[in-house]
Amino acid sequence: MSVAMQERPTGKAGRTPAVVRLLVLATFVVILNETIMINAIPRLMDSLRITEQSAQWVSTAFMLTMAAVIPVTGWFLQRVTTRQAFAIAMGVFLAGTALSAVAPFFEVLLLGRIVQAAGTAVMMPLLMTTLMVVVPEQDRGRVMGNVTLAISVAPALGPAVSGLILQAGSWRLLFAVVLPIAALVTVLGLRKMENIGDPQVSSIDWLSVGVAALGFGGLVYGLSLFGEGHGGVGTGVGITTAGVAAIGLFVFRQLRLQRGGVPLMDLRALRHRTYTLSLALMSIGFLAMMGAMILLPLYLQNLRGLSPLETGMLVMPGGLLMGLLGPTIGKAFDRFGSRPLVLPGSIGMAVGLAGFTQVSMTMPYWLILGLHALLMVSLAATFTPCFTLGMGGLPPHLYSHGSSILGTLQQVAAAFGTALVVTVMSARTSRLVADGAEAVPAQVSGMKLAFGVVAVLALVAVVVAARLPNRIAGADTQDRGSTDADLPADGHPAHVKSASVDET
């Protein structure tokens, strides 16, 4: 779905194009599955007779596949039409969901999750790229507020939704409920969706594909091993190091291809300051959100004795607030710009995480709910302007690559956030137990320190937010000005859209 043929958005001001509404709905359904299995681990262990480490792979494999596949989506979306991309993505997702629902043993379930993730990996870049083409600039904040529902709220609501469904029966219901909903969304989408732009025929560098899969996949896998205790740390360090080295080789390869070939992931998007700042802020936000999503269920279930359903109900208000406020925040961005939203949002994120450093065995549940709601609302106030500013700071021929980079770093940030909080918590707990402390107070202390580390990272987000421009201005020049290095492979400058920055 090439955007090179589009010089101006095609939608009407004040209205959300039908293609975007359909893609938001489909993306919400597929991304929800990234975290929907978190509460099902005990059921899987009992039903399939597997260890906890094996059961964790239903989530790890999903995230790993996303990280490996997303780098290819920038090239893929330029070769196919909107309908083709949607049909392929949803068809693959449905196949994976059906396979998971009927899986007779664990290996088949794992394969189903991998297939699910391969379809999911295409949806977010497809949604972001399409939105940037068809929505007029003055309406992007409002529409991006709805996108926040799909990209940010879906994974946040995953554990709560799964907790409700698991009350009714087997873990297979998680897939049985999703399957008809996804099928209905697919049929509706294919009936009403229109093609945006024209495909571009281009070659693909298979070396880049292989190195990207090894690099980003290896990095996410290595980071996930940190959560398996001391036995996995050594292996995790080795695989993470190898993944980082492969990513370095991938970057070198893309820089060479940018000089005369067709890069798999066009890194020239990172030359645009607004996009890069937005990317950094969103990565910290995803890290903080995932860290909290891991620590809170451990605290509430393992230490406070709540059930998965009770845990889900306690964190659900925050996720719902995040989604419901998305459109309102988007409209506020269109009217006032980013600074009245992003700076308070990043400060609220730091305050919420700092509040969680005071967790104890007697902390009131209303306070936990309030802190979580503050964190989610703050993330909503941060994500929507960042999505809009970041993608708006790119010329149209880099939209698909920019969304691909964003999706990849989202997975890496989520994996890093999980690894960071689990490693810090485990190290602190083990040291205190070795010094003679009781297990429960040691665990509480470990969680406090883990929340503290993430809160410090949130302070970095405040600094980045202060450097973010208020809005993208005009349609005549770019952040850094048009240069030959920023042109698409065909060298036609006529398609390069404005991204100049108004710092006032």
Side-chain angles (χ1 to χ4, degrees):
M1 189 202 73
S2 169
V3 297
M5 299 296 292
Q6 303 287 336
E7 295 185 23
R8 290 285 186 272
T10 60
K12 294 182 180 180
R15 297 180 59 185
T16 301
V19 62
V20 174
R21 293 199 299 269
L22 289 169
L23 288 175
V24 167
L25 179 60
T27 304
F28 179 87
V29 172
V30 299
I31 291 184
L32 183 70
N33 284 266
E34 184 170 3
T35 56
I36 203 170
M37 295 298 292
I38 289 178
N39 280 335
I41 299 301
R43 298 280 183 90
L44 288 177
M45 293 170 60
D46 181 59
S47 174
L48 300 178
R49 303 183 186 278
I50 55 176
T51 65
E52 183 176 3
Q53 287 74 22
S54 296
Q56 292 286 353
W57 265 97
V58 295
S59 294
T60 302
F62 196 101
M63 190 164 55
L64 177 62
T65 304
M66 292 272 286
V69 173
I70 287 177
V72 186
T73 58
W75 168 85
F76 172 74
L77 292 178
Q78 290 184 329
R79 286 184 58 92
V80 298
T81 66
T82 313
R83 282 175 56 84
Q84 288 172 336
F86 178 80
I88 292 171
M90 293 304 294
V92 170
F93 176 81
L94 286 169
T97 304
L99 185 62
S100 299
V102 300
F105 43 87
F106 178 69
E107 289 76 11
V108 177
L109 172 61
L110 194 61
L111 176 61
R113 289 288 286 172
I114 291 172
V115 175
Q116 263 193 326
T120 303
V122 177
M123 288 305 302
M124 190 184 81
L126 175 61
L127 169 61
M128 296 292 289
T129 304
T130 303
L131 184 151
M132 296 304 297
V133 175
V134 302
V135 178
E137 187 173 334
Q138 66 269 22
D139 288 335
R140 285 179 184 164
R142 176 182 59 81
V143 178
M144 199 68 77
N146 295 322
V147 173
T148 302
L149 176 68
I151 296 178
S152 305
V153 180
L157 287 180
V161 171
S162 65
L164 291 172
I165 295 175
L166 288 172
Q167 290 295 115
S170 166
W171 57 267
R172 297 182 189 276
L173 283 177
L174 296 175
F175 302 105
V177 169
V178 168
L179 187 61
I181 296 174
L184 180 62
V185 170
T186 303
V187 172
L188 184 65
L190 290 176
R191 285 180 58 189
K192 295 184 176 295
M193 189 167 295
E194 298 178 357
N195 289 322
I196 307 299
D198 299 313
Q200 285 182 328
V201 177
S202 61
S203 59
I204 185 171
D205 181 59
W206 290 106
L207 176 60
S208 295
V209 175
V211 174
L214 290 174
F216 293 109
L219 178 60
V220 170
Y221 176 45
L223 290 171
S224 72
L225 291 177
F226 284 79
E228 295 186 5
H230 295 296
V233 172
T235 305
V237 169
I239 295 178
T240 299
T241 303
V244 171
I247 290 173
L249 179 59
F250 174 77
V251 170
F252 177 75
R253 179 68 175 171
Q254 302 318 294
L255 293 176
R256 289 197 62 182
L257 289 173
Q258 284 170 189
R259 297 192 189 108
V262 180
L264 181 68
M265 184 182 285
D266 200 324
L267 301 180
R268 284 171 288 200
L270 298 175
R271 294 180 179 179
H272 297 271
R273 178 175 175 271
T274 302
Y275 173 77
T276 303
L277 288 173
S278 298
L279 195 66
L281 191 53
M282 284 187 286
S283 296
I284 297 172
F286 280 119
L287 186 156
M289 185 173 74
M290 200 65 187
M293 283 178 61
I294 293 297
L295 289 174
L296 279 177
L298 290 175
Y299 165 69
L300 293 171
Q301 295 180 39
N302 294 354
L303 298 181
R304 300 296 295 270
L306 298 187
S307 68
L309 177 61
E310 291 169 331
T311 300
M313 296 302 292
L314 189 61
V315 300
M316 183 179 285
L320 291 176
L321 272 176
M322 189 182 195
L324 293 174
L325 288 177
T328 302
I329 290 171
K331 292 177 183 177
F333 168 78
D334 287 335
R335 184 173 180 182
F336 303 110
S338 71
R339 284 180 182 154
L341 296 168
V342 174
L343 197 55
S346 58
I347 293 172
M349 178 169 59
V351 170
L353 291 167
F356 280 123
T357 63
Q358 303 306 306
V359 292
S360 66
M361 294 301 294
T362 57
M363 176 179 270
Y365 289 123
W366 64 263
L367 181 56
I368 297 171
L369 188 152
L371 288 172
H372 183 259
L374 172 63
L375 178 61
M376 292 294 105
V377 170
S378 300
L379 287 171
T382 303
F383 283 151
T384 297
C386 281
F387 280 133
T388 310
L389 275 179
M391 293 297 292
L394 296 175
H397 71 274
L398 289 178
Y399 286 162
S400 60
H401 292 282
S403 60
S404 176
I405 294 172
L406 169 62
T408 302
L409 285 189
Q410 177 184 344
Q411 299 304 312
V412 171
F416 182 72
T418 301
L420 179 66
V421 298
V422 170
T423 301
V424 170
M425 179 185 66
S426 299
R428 174 74 170 173
T429 302
S430 298
R431 195 187 72 173
L432 290 177
V433 170
D435 290 342
E438 295 291 332
V440 171
Q443 283 184 298
V444 171
S445 180
M447 288 183 178
K448 287 183 176 182
L449 182 59
F451 274 120
V453 170
V454 181
V456 171
L457 287 176
L459 293 177
V460 178
V462 177
V463 176
V464 176
R467 295 172 58 86
L468 203 65
N470 194 45
R471 63 174 74 249
I472 301 297
D476 301 318
T477 57
Q478 291 183 343
D479 266 351
R480 300 170 54 93
S482 297
T483 66
D484 290 343
D486 285 325
L487 298 182
D490 61 9
H492 296 304
H495 304 312
V496 178
K497 183 192 168 194
S498 84
S500 68
V501 175
D502 178 8
E503 295 286 354
T504 63

